[in-house]
Amino acid sequence: LVGVILVACAGMVNVIASKHLGGFVSHVSGTVSKVGMHGQGLAVGSSTLEQFGEPLAVVGSFIFGAMLCGLLAGRDNLHEVHIGRTLYGMALLGSAALLVATVSLAGQEQAIYVAATACGLQNGMCTMHLGAICRTTHVTGLSTDIGTTYGRLLSIM
């Protein structure tokens, strides 16, 4: 039931971000496609650096959110995940705080990146807590795994 609720929340955040912030924040595969299209557009002169950088920053923000979860969960090594109710609650509160910050930044360029960070944090938390059984956002497994692994590596250092 919790997974279903989180999936619904991620979908609502994504729709609201699309309508009010001008882009999807949890649809990483589509956003990566935009990066590729605008990268090619840069090469032939049909895209600007801003058109290329914006979706790249959204993907980076999502990965950063997942990395925050990895920092919280990865304590001793990469073979054990220490995640429990405390982290679950902290990650949910962190995601909620980021979404509140998104609302307060509405109309500003940074809002979409804060929302993407919230989605990455939620997806990382759900993936680590439920063992990658449930992904709460669109096809984002690789991005989530990259972010949580980076976070766990940083927590070891």
Side-chain angles (χ1 to χ4, degrees):
L1 180 61
V2 171
V4 171
I5 292 169
L6 291 174
V7 169
C9 289
M12 287 185 272
V13 168
N14 210 34
V15 168
I16 292 167
S18 173
K19 290 197 166 283
H20 297 284
L21 304 178
F24 294 108
V25 294
S26 69
H27 187 149
V28 174
S29 59
T31 307
V32 168
S33 296
K34 283 176 93 174
V35 171
M37 290 172 14
H38 290 302
Q40 189 274 336
L42 273 176
V44 299
S46 63
S47 290
T48 65
L49 191 55
E50 184 178 322
Q51 289 173 313
F52 173 74
E54 189 269 333
L56 186 62
V58 169
V59 172
S61 298
F62 183 96
I63 291 172
F64 178 73
M67 186 181 81
L68 291 175
C69 186
L71 273 169
L72 293 170
R75 303 224 195 290
D76 300 322
N77 61 54
L78 294 178
H79 301 292
E80 294 180 36
V81 177
H82 300 279
I83 190 164
R85 289 189 175 128
T86 301
L87 172 61
Y88 192 78
M90 285 175 31
L92 282 175
L93 288 173
S95 185
L98 287 167
L99 292 173
V100 168
T102 300
V103 171
S104 70
L105 291 170
Q108 297 182 35
E109 184 179 326
Q110 302 89 338
I112 195 166
Y113 309 120
V114 176
T117 301
C119 287
L121 177 59
Q122 176 184 299
N123 208 54
M125 176 270 308
C126 192
T127 298
M128 294 184 85
H129 187 69
L130 299 175
I133 294 169
C134 176
R135 303 278 186 171
T136 61
T137 54
H138 197 261
V139 186
T140 59
L142 182 59
S143 296
T144 301
D145 294 343
I146 288 169
T148 56
T149 300
Y150 281 161
R152 294 180 74 204
L153 283 170
L154 286 172
S155 73
I156 290 171
M157 295 178 175

